[in-house]
Amino acid sequence: SGKTTFLQYLAIQCNQGNFAANLVPIFITLKDFADASKEIGAFSLLNYISSNIFSESEQPATEILLREGRVLLLLDGLDEVLHQDNYEILKEIRKFSEKYPQNLFIVTCRTAAKASNLKGFTDVEIAPFTQSQIVAFAQKWFSVFTRNNVIDIDMAVQFIEKLDLPENLPFRRLAVTPLFLH
């Protein structure tokens, strides 16, 4: 979990010039791409980007940006694509990344097995939170939350103490993931 949030964070960091500052981030939900592609009967990332991301007047810029290696292409949720569309999506990502290799491509997938067919891509797995990261996250969460509400800051400490109780082991196992922890 946290795949979409991670890609959104990268897009924001790119726009703010903190990550891949010279690139234009393009965010695509692969399930939406697959659905749109089935409707028109062709799987083409270039056509999808040109027609769904940019306005008509900007469409010629798509090819220029890609040829010049100026795109951060964020492809989200390979695991959410229907099984029968998976082959076509993987084939199109491979073809597109080979045609425009100077760009930066990031594909998220819940399991690496689905993405393993992408040559030239590096598999990266997001590690679960450690206990100290859980504590730090909870402190920051409650700190931000208490700015707008009248809540005692000790709630973070109380939360961690309750999370550490033996009867809350199932919740502690979930807390290693930021999405479930919050």
Side-chain angles (χ1 to χ4, degrees):
S1 64
K3 302 179 311 294
T4 302
T5 303
F6 176 66
L7 289 188
Q8 290 169 339
Y9 172 80
L10 289 179
I12 290 167
Q13 292 301 305
C14 183
N15 281 335
Q16 292 176 345
N18 299 323
F19 172 75
N22 61 330
L23 303 182
V24 175
I26 298 175
F27 186 99
I28 295 176
T29 302
L30 287 172
K31 184 182 181 323
D32 294 344
F33 168 62
D35 292 345
S37 298
K38 283 194 321 193
E39 279 183 27
I40 61 170
F43 288 82
S44 170
L45 276 167
L46 181 60
N47 290 343
Y48 185 80
I49 292 168
S50 294
S51 61
N52 291 295
I53 307 298
F54 294 102
S55 67
E56 274 189 50
S57 63
E58 297 171 319
Q59 286 179 5
T62 306
E63 183 78 31
I64 294 168
L65 287 170
L66 287 163
R67 274 192 315 239
E68 292 180 0
R70 300 281 319 276
V71 173
L72 168 61
L73 189 58
L74 305 164
L75 302 169
D76 188 36
L78 183 59
D79 57 301
E80 296 168 15
V81 171
L82 294 176
H83 180 71
Q84 61 265 30
D85 300 328
N86 202 43
Y87 173 77
E88 289 296 330
I89 295 293
L90 284 170
K91 185 172 103 178
E92 180 58 18
I93 293 170
R94 268 194 309 275
K95 185 174 84 175
F96 196 79
S97 65
E98 289 169 1
K99 184 175 181 178
Y100 305 106
Q102 59 279 28
N103 295 282
L104 184 57
F105 299 88
I106 301 176
V107 181
T108 63
C109 186
R110 190 164 279 118
T111 59
K114 277 198 168 193
S116 64
N117 293 328
L118 293 171
K119 288 184 203 169
F121 282 69
T122 302
D123 290 338
V124 177
E125 188 173 332
I126 295 176
F129 272 170
T130 63
Q131 181 61 28
S132 63
Q133 290 171 321
I134 291 171
V135 170
F137 184 95
Q139 289 169 342
K140 289 177 184 174
W141 175 266
F142 283 103
S143 173
V144 168
F145 188 70
T146 57
R147 286 184 197 156
N148 301 325
N149 299 291
V150 182
I151 297 177
D152 189 8
I153 196 68
D154 290 335
M155 286 190 77
V157 174
Q158 293 170 17
F159 171 76
I160 295 298
E161 287 173 354
K162 285 185 180 180
L163 191 61
D164 286 340
L165 293 174
E167 62 266 24
N168 289 327
L169 179 62
F171 297 112
R172 206 166 44 250
R173 288 184 179 143
L174 290 175
V176 299
T177 305
L179 180 65
F180 295 132
L181 179 58
H182 91 270

